[in-house]
Amino acid sequence: MVKFLKPNKAVVLLQGRFIGWKAVIVRSFDDGTRDRPYGRYLVVGIAKYPKKVIHKDSAKKKTKKLRVKGFIKLVNYNHIMPTRYTLDVDLKDVVSTDVLQTRDKKVMAAKESKKRLEERFKTGKNHRWFFSKLRF
């Protein structure tokens, strides 16, 4: 079987707490572990999308509306839907499997990935679809 889901590919989650939310593949694990014998993706997604900013908003309100909240998760291959989009955000050095072992490491990695996603959003390079909420 050909692996067409490479890192930096945008996907939509189909199961779990973040059903219907968008995420980016960071790394894939083809062979599972003893307790989880299935292939998985390590994904970083958006738990809270940025809101629409209008001209009359104050600077403080604009910065609050432009915030992004992210999540880090291991997801089964069958629980994602691929999209045609890719997102050129380098998250491999921030997020890895050892990050998920302890709460402190996960929080620090989530903060760093949040910074990088916000930075990508503010540059506005053809990623409007990824940073907008799905309507269905």
Side-chain angles (χ1 to χ4, degrees):
M1 188 171 149
V2 178
K3 294 287 179 190
F4 63 95
L5 291 174
K6 306 275 188 229
N8 297 335
K9 190 78 166 168
V11 295
V12 178
L13 301 182
L14 300 176
Q15 292 288 330
R17 179 180 175 189
F18 296 105
I19 186 170
W21 296 90
K22 297 173 191 169
V24 178
I25 295 173
V26 177
R27 191 168 172 215
S28 64
F29 302 99
D30 295 328
D31 42 327
T33 59
R34 180 183 295 174
D35 54 334
R36 295 181 181 178
Y38 49 83
R40 296 173 285 174
Y41 289 115
L42 179 64
V43 296
V44 173
I46 298 181
K48 196 173 194 182
Y49 291 101
K51 303 220 178 350
K52 191 173 186 177
V53 176
I54 57 176
H55 184 68
K56 69 178 185 177
D57 286 342
S58 65
K60 184 178 176 182
K61 196 167 188 177
K62 283 181 185 178
T63 56
K64 190 173 182 179
K65 281 186 171 183
L66 292 177
R67 286 188 188 150
V68 173
K69 185 177 181 185
F71 64 88
I72 302 168
K73 196 170 177 69
L74 278 170
V75 182
N76 189 334
Y77 283 172
N78 299 326
H79 298 163
I80 63 166
M81 182 176 69
T83 63
R84 64 182 177 175
Y85 300 103
T86 57
L87 195 74
D88 51 343
V89 177
D90 189 28
L91 296 167
K92 270 195 173 178
D93 56 338
V94 177
V95 181
S96 62
T97 54
D98 62 324
V99 165
L100 298 173
Q101 302 302 323
T102 63
R103 180 81 177 147
D104 296 335
K105 287 183 181 179
K106 189 173 181 180
V107 168
M108 293 304 291
K111 285 180 183 178
E112 184 61 33
S113 62
K114 172 190 166 165
K115 283 181 192 173
R116 292 193 184 186
L117 287 172
E118 281 181 353
E119 180 182 306
R120 173 56 55 197
F121 174 68
K122 288 177 182 170
T123 58
K125 294 188 177 178
N126 298 330
H127 298 301
R128 188 188 313 163
W129 177 85
F130 186 75
F131 291 103
S132 61
K133 197 172 185 179
L134 277 180
R135 300 288 180 190
F136 59 92

